[in-house]
Amino acid sequence: SVTLFVTIFFTMSSSPGLGSIFSWHPILMTLGCCVFMTEGMLAYVSRVPEVSRAAARKKHGKYQVIALACVLFGYMSIFISHENTGKSHIGKGTTYSRGIHVFLGLIILILCVVQGVFGIENISGTCDSILSVCNTQTQNTHFKFRYTRRQVKIARWHGTLGRYIFFAALGN
C-alpha cells in the first residue's frame, strides 16, 4: 500500500498528472503487480485451517484475474500514449535502462497472459476437461474429482512460473 501511495502521489504531482493516459501506466501496473498479484499469491499460500483449499484457490484466481486486468490496462495505457506521441513501442531510441524495462515488461506481460490462461484452464477445465468426474451415478450420487496427470503437471508448472513472474514484475 505504501508503494501504491508513493506511485499515485508522484504521478499526480508530476507534469500532466492523471489527465495524461501515460499516467495510468504506473498506477495500473502497481495495482496489478504490487497489490492484486501479491494478494492473490497470499490467498493461496497462507491459508488458515478454516479455509478449504478450493476456497483459497478460488480467491487466488479472483485476485489474479483482477491483477491481469490491471496489467493489461496498464499496458494499453502506455501503448496508446506511445501511439499518440509517435514513440516506439519496443523502446527503440530511448535510454538503455528504459529499453530493458520495455523488453522485460513485454516478456512479463506475455507470461502473465500465458499464466492466466493456464490458471483458468487448471480451475475450470475449459481446454481439455481437466476435472474428470468419476462415479457420477454409482456411489450415492456423489461426484468425485480426480486430478489428471496433465493437470498435476500444469499445476506444478503454474505455481513455479507464477513465482518467477511475480518477482520479475516487482523488479521491473
Side-chain angles (χ1 to χ4, degrees):
S1 61
V2 171
T3 305
L4 181 62
F5 173 77
V6 170
T7 301
I8 292 173
F9 173 78
F10 281 112
T11 301
M12 289 176 62
S13 60
S14 68
S15 186
L18 294 177
S20 168
I21 194 155
F22 171 82
S23 299
W24 289 98
H25 173 73
I27 293 172
L28 290 168
M29 290 301 193
T30 302
L31 270 172
C33 299
C34 296
V35 178
F36 292 112
M37 206 180 280
T38 302
E39 288 297 320
M41 290 183 71
L42 290 174
Y44 190 73
V45 298
S46 60
R47 292 183 306 116
V48 291
E50 303 84 40
V51 178
S52 71
R53 188 139 185 105
R57 187 177 291 125
K58 189 173 184 178
K59 191 173 183 181
H60 164 78
K62 286 178 181 180
Y63 277 120
Q64 298 301 25
V65 166
I66 296 169
L68 181 58
C70 287
V71 167
L72 289 173
F73 283 119
Y75 175 74
M76 286 174 33
S77 70
I78 197 69
F79 184 89
I80 292 168
S81 175
H82 284 174
E83 198 63 28
N84 291 343
T85 59
K87 291 184 179 177
S88 170
H89 296 292
I90 57 171
K92 188 175 180 181
T94 187
T95 63
Y96 182 71
S97 61
R98 184 165 292 159
I100 290 174
H101 172 74
V102 171
F103 179 73
L104 289 177
L106 289 172
I107 290 172
I108 292 165
L109 176 71
I110 291 166
L111 289 174
C112 282
V113 171
V114 169
Q115 184 75 341
V117 167
F118 279 101
I120 290 168
E121 180 187 345
N122 203 24
I123 290 172
S124 67
T126 55
C127 295
D128 198 5
S129 180
I130 291 200
L131 287 177
S132 59
V133 180
C134 303
N135 303 326
T136 53
Q137 297 295 324
T138 57
Q139 295 180 355
N140 301 329
T141 66
H142 286 97
F143 289 90
K144 293 189 177 185
F145 296 101
R146 288 189 288 164
Y147 285 109
T148 64
R149 189 173 280 163
R150 181 175 178 275
Q151 186 180 15
V152 169
K153 287 181 182 177
I154 289 172
R156 287 184 185 149
W157 173 84
H158 178 78
T160 302
L161 181 62
R163 288 184 205 103
Y164 289 117
I165 292 170
F166 174 70
F167 288 113
L170 291 181
N172 197 33

